[in-house]
């Protein structure tokens, strides 16, 4: 149900549960759920890096008017993410207090994790999918009818094989790698995960020292997926998950890459650091029994000069930046390192 849904293997490695609901919303409706404006609600939590991907892609593509968004709070219990940020603790559109209700409406015997992001069919109140890797790709390729004018191509056909290859290793060693460190059940498992994580970060450093973005000369799906882990690195993973060879802010190439994206409209304006920290330090009682949330670190330097313009590239390719988020979806400035688009 949380960002760490999984178990430990016989070798004490953290194994993520990747058995998601694979139903897709497509232009041709082949799974019974056609692309249709105002039919679906994307349910997210700002704390969750996997949900953060969908928030960013929805913003960049301008799908706010086609797909509404419900926001769970940063913490949850053993049952489900809940809508405790909404008046009365009930989602104003779905009229439910817990995301679990939408899962059980479709699958009464559902016994796997209640995860965000999830897309719910508003009319039936039933979950459609929680398959987050496919979700953002479908936003790019199936929802084109509702993309804003100037929407960037985040999954260009000519680069898909390279994007997929980068996404695969980044997921294995970085996105999920930090969890493999944090939830390792033995010193050996932790050491192995730690070494893989930093070996991959070093490889990404070499790659990004020569080019502004991961694939091609503009932002793609690959950058979105890496960003949501890197932006949480110093605030959470370095301490909470013991990924402490270096802080990200001590790795200049990756830090400047992250600052570049953070200062790009659609990225930094989705980040809520207090919610991110509250989730990890309060929910993971096995790692932090006291549930004390650290006051630091100071992340204001995310707004400092990054110098990445010297590498060329255009953030949105032939497209344009997204407009500011709707007021109802805006992160308070004080929660996002005083974020201000450049």
């Amino acid at each position: 149900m949380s960002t760490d849904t999984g178990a430990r293997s016989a070798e004490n490695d953290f194994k993520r549960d990747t058995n998601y609901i694979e139903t897709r919303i497509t232009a041709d409706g082949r799974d019974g759920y056609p692309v249709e404006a105002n039919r679906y609600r994307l349910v997210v939590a700002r704390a969750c890096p996997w949900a953060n991907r969908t928030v960013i892609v929805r913003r960049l593509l301008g799908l706010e008017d086609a797909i509404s968004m419900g926001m769970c709070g940063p913490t949850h219990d053993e049952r489900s993410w809940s809508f405790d940020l909404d008046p009365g603790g009930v989602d104003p559109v779905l009229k439910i207090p817990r995301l679990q209700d939408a899962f059980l409406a479709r699958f009464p015997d559902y016994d796997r994790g209640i995860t965000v992001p999830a897309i719910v069919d508003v009319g039936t109140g039933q979950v459609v999918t929680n398959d987050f890797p496919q979700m953002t790709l479908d936003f790019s390729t199936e929802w084109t009818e509702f993309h804003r004018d100037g929407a960037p191509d985040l999954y260009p056909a000519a680069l898909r094989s390279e994007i997929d290859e980068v996404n695969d290793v980044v997921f294995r060693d970085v996105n999920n790698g930090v969890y493999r460190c944090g939830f390792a059940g033995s010193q050996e498992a932790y050491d192995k995960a730690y070494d893989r994580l930093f070996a991959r970060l070093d490889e990404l450093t070499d790659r990004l020292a020569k080019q502004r973005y991961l694939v091609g000369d503009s932002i793609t799906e690959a950058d979105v997926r890496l960003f949501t882990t890197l932006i949480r690195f110093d605030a959470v993973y370095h301490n909470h998950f013991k990924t402490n060879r270096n802080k990200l802010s001590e790795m200049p190439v990756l830090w400047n890459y992250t600052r570049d994206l953070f200062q790009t409209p659609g990225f930094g304006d989705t980040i809520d650091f207090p919610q991110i920290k509250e989730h990890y330090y309060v929910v993971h009682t096995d790692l932090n029994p006291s549930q004390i949330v650290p006051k630091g670190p100071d992340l204001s330097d995310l707004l400092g000069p990054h110098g990445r313009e010297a590498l060329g590239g255009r953030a949105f390719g032939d497209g344009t930046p997204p407009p500011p988020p709707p007021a109802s979806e805006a992160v308070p400035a004080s929660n996002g390192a005083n974020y201000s688009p450049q």
Side-chain angles (χ1 to χ4, degrees):
M1 73 199 57
S2 72
T3 57
D4 58 306
T5 300
R8 292 192 179 106
S9 70
E11 296 77 29
N12 285 310
D13 293 319
F14 173 72
K15 299 293 184 183
R16 181 171 297 280
D17 179 3
T18 57
N19 293 312
Y20 301 109
I21 301 168
E22 295 182 347
T23 309
R24 291 175 60 191
I25 301 169
T26 57
D28 63 8
R30 56 185 176 273
D31 286 356
Y33 293 93
V35 166
E36 184 179 329
N38 302 313
R39 174 172 175 174
Y40 306 101
R41 188 159 177 83
L42 172 66
V43 178
V44 301
R46 291 203 187 277
C48 173
W50 321 105
N52 196 177
R53 297 177 179 185
T54 63
V55 179
I56 292 170
V57 171
R58 174 176 171 270
R59 280 268 290 123
L60 295 179
L61 299 178
L63 290 172
E64 291 99 326
D65 291 337
I67 306 171
S68 69
M69 187 167 71
M71 191 73 65
C72 295
T75 63
H76 56 73
D77 59 21
E78 69 280 358
R79 288 173 57 192
S80 173
W81 292 89
S82 57
F83 296 98
D84 47 290
L85 300 178
D86 291 307
V90 174
D91 180 85
V93 173
L94 300 175
K95 309 299 184 184
I96 56 176
R98 295 176 176 271
L99 180 56
Q100 181 185 46
D101 297 334
F103 281 70
L104 296 179
R106 184 176 176 195
F107 303 107
D109 298 323
Y110 193 82
D111 60 357
R112 301 201 299 272
I114 307 298
T115 61
V116 290
I119 297 180
V120 179
D121 182 12
V122 174
T124 63
Q126 298 179 354
V127 67
V128 178
T129 183
N130 64 341
D131 188 358
F132 68 88
Q134 188 62 49
M135 203 179 292
T136 48
L137 299 181
D138 284 345
F139 283 174
S140 285
T141 60
E142 300 292 335
W143 285 82
T144 54
E145 177 185 355
F146 298 103
H147 288 184
R148 65 178 176 85
D149 291 340
D153 188 351
L154 300 177
Y155 197 48
L159 298 176
R160 286 180 189 176
S161 61
E162 185 177 0
I163 292 171
D164 292 345
E165 180 181 351
V166 170
N167 285 345
D168 180 63
V169 296
V170 166
F171 171 77
R172 185 183 67 234
D173 297 337
V174 181
N175 300 145
N176 198 45
V178 293
Y179 288 89
R180 292 176 64 246
C181 291
F183 291 100
S186 70
Q187 188 69 50
E188 181 182 4
Y190 165 76
D191 289 348
K192 182 171 63 174
Y194 178 101
D195 290 343
R196 283 179 60 176
L197 168 65
F198 282 100
R200 185 63 64 189
L201 290 177
D202 288 342
E203 289 184 10
L204 290 168
T205 293
D206 292 341
R207 183 186 187 100
L208 290 166
K210 300 185 289 287
Q211 59 194 68
R212 189 170 181 181
Y213 304 110
L214 280 172
V215 182
D217 63 357
S218 61
I219 290 166
T220 67
E221 174 83 17
D223 298 293
V224 175
R225 295 190 182 195
L226 179 57
F227 171 80
T228 58
T229 294
L230 296 186
I231 198 62
R232 288 163 171 77
F233 201 92
D234 286 6
V236 176
Y237 303 142
H238 176 269
N239 177 44
H240 188 56
F241 283 172
K242 306 180 183 71
T243 61
N244 61 355
R245 189 195 78 177
N246 308 94
K247 291 181 179 178
L248 192 71
S249 56
E250 297 166 347
M251 304 177 73
V253 170
L254 293 180
W255 180 242
N256 285 326
Y257 167 78
T258 302
R259 291 201 292 185
D260 187 7
L261 291 177
F262 185 83
Q263 295 172 31
T264 299
F267 283 82
D269 52 20
T270 71
I271 301 300
D272 189 313
F273 285 114
Q275 287 201 30
I276 289 170
K277 292 197 295 183
E278 183 179 356
H279 169 73
Y280 287 94
Y281 286 104
V282 171
V283 171
H284 298 162
T285 54
D286 48 345
L287 301 183
N288 186 42
S290 70
Q291 297 182 300
I292 294 172
V293 180
K295 293 185 70 174
D298 179 4
L299 295 168
S300 59
D301 195 40
L302 279 165
L303 299 176
H306 52 73
R308 300 282 295 175
E309 305 93 337
L311 294 170
R314 298 172 297 156
F316 302 103
D318 293 330
T320 59
S328 61
E329 297 179 8
V331 176
S334 60
N335 286 11
N338 294 311
Y339 171 80
S340 178
Q342 303 298 298

